[in-house]
Amino acid sequence: MTDSEYMDLAEALLKAVERGCDRINDESDADLDNQRVGGMVTLTFSNRSQIIINLQKPLHEIWMAARAGGFHYRWDGAQWVDTKGHGEFFDHLSRCASEQAGQPLSFSS
């Protein structure tokens, strides 16, 4: 994958996360705050816990830090997949966010 391809795919992921936060706030009482600074999106929940999603350009990876731990994702040609077998990024983000919010939340690409 070229740097340009990585940036296109990674940017699409971050925008999908931001759209997901907006949709969740419109459809629920989750009160999920999201802030983006460059290649990093920080999700803050009403209990003040956070999930941080960060681009790792030199490695062509996406990193996510949540209460459940730190996770690295690589593009497999179809989706962003955890390097240690925790599954697809948006499924995993949904599980971590649901745990931290105390209610079911769903993110998708």
Side-chain angles (χ1 to χ4, degrees), residues 46-81:
S46 59
N47 61 10
R48 303 223 186 271
S49 68
Q50 295 184 325
I51 292 177
I52 299 169
I53 301 157
N54 191 11
L55 303 186
Q56 294 299 313
K57 296 175 190 176
L59 301 174
H60 289 181
E61 292 183 349
I62 303 288
W63 289 3
M64 179 173 74
R67 275 188 182 167
F71 307 94
H72 301 189
Y73 301 87
R74 284 195 191 117
W75 184 253
D76 73 355
Q79 60 188 355
W80 292 96
V81 179

Side-chain angles (χ1 to χ4, degrees), residues 14 26 29 31 37 51 55 59-60 72 78 80 93 101 104 107 109:
L14 294 181
D26 289 344
D29 63 352
D31 191 26
V37 177
I51 292 177
L55 303 186
L59 301 174
H60 289 181
H72 301 189
W80 292 96
L93 173 60
F107 286 85
S109 56

